[in-house]
Amino acid sequence: MDIAVVDYGMGNLRSVQQALRAVAPGASIAVTGDPLVVAQAARVVFPGQGAMPDCMRELEARGLRAAVLQAARGKPFLGICIGLQMLFERSAEGNIPGLGILPGKVVRFAGDLRDVQGNKLKVPHMGWNQVRRIEQPASPQGDATITPSPSGGGLGRGNALPLPNPLPRSEGAVAASTVGGSPKVDEHPLWAGIEQDARFYFVHSYYVQPQDAALVQATSDYPQPFACAVARDNLFAVQFHPEKSQSAGLTLLRNFVNWNPV
Amino acid sequence: MLAKRIIPCLDVTAGRVVKGVSFVQLRDAGDPVEIARRYDEQGADELTFLDITASSDDRGILFRIIEQVAEQVFIPLTVGGGVRKVEDVRNLLNAGADKVSINTSAVLNPQLVADAAGRYGSQCIVVAIDAKQAAPGKWEVFTHGGRKATGLDAVAWAKHMQALGAGEILLTSMDRDGQKTGFDLALTRAVTDALEIPVIASGGAGTLQHLADGVKLGGADAVLAASIFHYGEYTVQQAKQFMAQQGIEVRL
């Protein structure tokens, strides 16, 4: 099996399947709840919708935890929405533990959010928002501080993303490169062909707070910046729905199916 | 920044897109799959399909339409009309809908909203409210395609639906539907101010200014329109450019 889409009975995975089929017409794609199929697939997509406590319960009940953990540690792995949130240690939704693959937690958007004009911001955060990629310095010793955005709303301002003790970035996550001998800002291969600040479709009320700033691949503002994409080695996970994000989303999925992390 | 959404609405009956005036006088607007593809190319943020007859014969046709659209169009699809049971929600999601809109059945059986949201998540449950002005600042909820008065106050009803787990409200002014005189902005404002969840303004958009007003004056998170797009008056792209010029954040 080329691609396994992990199905633990929480909602509809047809959209994910259709979008993968569109970008990888020759690939075999299984929407599966069978741990063996997940274990044997070359790539794994880990979607999720609804409430995280239900997702965790169903994942356990179907005996999929071990297969998902193994996949997340060893092969191209794409988490989507709750499939991102479940990778972390703990969620405020139902105050439950997650899979604990990545250090950090999942928290809810605060009530009574306002934009700069004072308009009420609704929760769930639903619709098309800009995804601002973090510019990753090429050097593994590089400073892991997140580059402030030119449009304001840099991460230093809010408390949406605590960034204690950033660890050196792992080698596999970002392909190092230099141009003309000078260090170049590197980009994760999954962003290839996607513009900075491209819009993706979101629908969620909780977001992740990774403990390790080096994991954060992109942020989005609502109204404070929050992490909307994380990566480590063979793993990439996003809060938005690439399968519903038209051309930008399909590009990201195409990059995933062609991705061969070291 | 989060963009305000423009959502073309396709009213479907017997496999065709139609459009009426104040819920009657239907006029043919074309093939749903073709129209859906066109709006996607124009940059629609989502698409809404409403099965306006919702007869059992048409049901199979609707499922095939949704399946075909979902294979080609990778933006959120909402489908409504004739949703009575949690099983109906499941079937529509399986056919390729991302959200299911519940209208009459939410009034007849509010528990359906709670059950469906509990099972599939609030993100895929839209409650559609058809409202008609009863007095200044007061709107009544109607069901059965606008034929039955319920005695329910639209704002209170919207809050109740939010409490039961609706993820979004599709708010249609029956007074304005198909009239092209603009959204009922007072209704839109009253409902959106009362809620934490997003509200889609619907019913009455006849010009691009109306769409912008729905967001700026009505406070809507998204605007839904049919006629102005169906008959080629404006493209979705033109609508977005116009809104952007008015300082509204859109996905261009």
Side-chain angles (χ1 to χ4, degrees), chain A residues 114-159:
Chain A
R114 303 269 160 181
D115 67 13
V116 283
Q117 281 112 35
N119 299 310
K120 185 153 129 185
L121 293 176
K122 305 296 184 68
V123 176
H125 169 230
M126 182 189 285
W128 298 79
N129 207 337
Q130 286 161 305
V131 169
R132 187 186 317 118
R133 300 203 295 274
I134 307 296
E135 294 180 345
Q136 305 270 6
S139 154
Q141 286 85 43
D143 174 4
T145 350
I146 288 165
T147 310
S149 92
S151 57
L155 279 162
R157 204 182 56 185
N159 54 0

Side-chain angles (χ1 to χ4, degrees), chain A residues 7 24 46 65 79 83-84 100 104-105 107 109 124 128 132 141 151 167 174 183 188-189 207 216 238 240 244 252:
Chain A
D7 180 6
F46 186 46
R65 172 195 272 262
L84 159 73
K105 58 185 179 176
V107 297
F109 285 114
W128 298 79
R132 187 186 317 118
Q141 286 85 43
S151 57
L167 303 172
V174 181
H188 195 284
Y207 61 95
V216 180
V238 292
F240 50 82
K244 285 286 137 186
L252 190 136

Side-chain angles (χ1 to χ4, degrees), chain B:
Chain B
M1 212 166 124
L2 184 66
K4 300 294 181 181
R5 291 168 280 153
I6 296 189
I7 309 176
C9 177
L10 290 71
D11 290 346
V12 178
T13 186
R16 299 291 289 177
V17 175
V18 295
K19 186 59 207 161
V21 175
S22 291
F23 289 48
V24 290
Q25 298 170 15
L26 301 178
R27 177 177 163 197
D28 187 84
D31 173 63
V33 179
E34 205 174 288
I35 293 176
R37 222 165 27 207
R38 185 165 78 225
Y39 292 153
D40 174 51
E41 282 163 14
Q42 292 175 3
D45 295 312
E46 298 186 21
L47 294 173
T48 292
F49 296 81
L50 296 178
D51 180 1
I52 60 168
T53 38
S55 72
S56 51
D57 287 355
D58 278 6
R59 212 62 184 165
I61 303 175
L62 181 77
F63 281 120
R64 280 193 296 282
I65 292 168
I66 300 306
E67 282 168 9
Q68 284 179 52
V69 172
E71 281 169 17
Q72 306 170 36
V73 170
F74 300 100
I75 57 175
L77 308 175
T78 300
V79 185
V83 176
R84 296 183 183 90
K85 305 185 292 279
V86 172
E87 195 190 333
D88 297 330
V89 175
R90 188 191 66 202
N91 291 340
L92 286 170
L93 293 176
N94 285 341
D98 300 289
K99 311 183 199 180
V100 170
S101 166
I102 305 176
N103 189 333
T104 299
S105 299
V107 175
L108 300 179
N109 173 24
Q111 188 59 32
L112 171 65
V113 173
D115 291 347
R119 181 69 191 84
Y120 297 106
S122 291
Q123 84 289 339
C124 69
I125 304 302
V126 180
V127 170
I129 300 177
D130 294 336
K132 199 175 164 72
Q133 187 160 13
K138 279 278 175 200
W139 296 269
E140 184 181 356
V141 177
F142 280 67
T143 58
H144 298 84
R147 294 188 300 276
K148 252 189 181 153
T150 63
L152 295 165
D153 174 72
V155 175
W157 177 245
K159 285 175 88 162
H160 184 46
M161 290 296 97
Q162 171 178 280
L164 287 185
E168 196 171 28
I169 298 291
L170 167 54
L171 179 66
T172 303
S173 160
M174 292 176 54
D175 302 304
R176 301 300 180 91
D177 186 69
Q179 300 290 345
K180 301 189 157 202
T181 52
F183 297 118
D184 185 334
L185 297 174
L187 166 67
T188 308
R189 178 53 78 179
V191 172
T192 194
D193 280 354
L195 299 186
E196 299 307 315
I197 58 176
V199 174
I200 306 165
S202 155
T207 68
L208 300 184
Q209 188 63 54
H210 291 156
L211 298 178
D213 289 347
V215 170
K216 288 178 85 167
L217 305 176
D221 300 283
V223 287
L224 182 133
S227 323
I228 66 165
F229 298 131
H230 291 346
Y231 304 110
E233 283 168 65
Y234 301 103
T235 64
V236 177
Q237 190 65 20
Q238 283 171 324
K240 288 188 160 183
Q241 276 156 1
F242 182 86
M243 287 169 79
Q245 281 160 16
Q246 303 248 320
I248 298 169
E249 190 84 10
V250 289
R251 178 179 71 109
L252 286 170

Side-chain angles (χ1 to χ4, degrees), chain A residues 179-250:
Chain A
V179 174
S182 62
K184 185 185 172 292
V185 166
D186 274 308
E187 174 173 270
H188 195 284
L190 262 66
W191 297 125
I194 298 171
E195 281 176 35
Q196 177 67 307
D197 290 328
R199 288 185 187 274
F200 287 82
Y201 188 82
F202 288 81
V203 50
H204 63 122
S205 301
Y206 291 79
Y207 61 95
V208 299
Q209 283 188 335
Q211 224 174 68
D212 178 359
L215 296 178
V216 180
Q217 282 291 327
T219 62
S220 200
D221 292 349
Y222 200 65
Q224 296 295 326
F226 65 92
C228 67
V230 302
R232 192 176 71 188
D233 306 326
N234 58 296
L235 176 156
F236 198 92
V238 292
Q239 181 60 66
F240 50 82
H241 290 269
E243 75 280 12
K244 285 286 137 186
S245 298
Q246 223 212 11
S247 51
L250 294 181

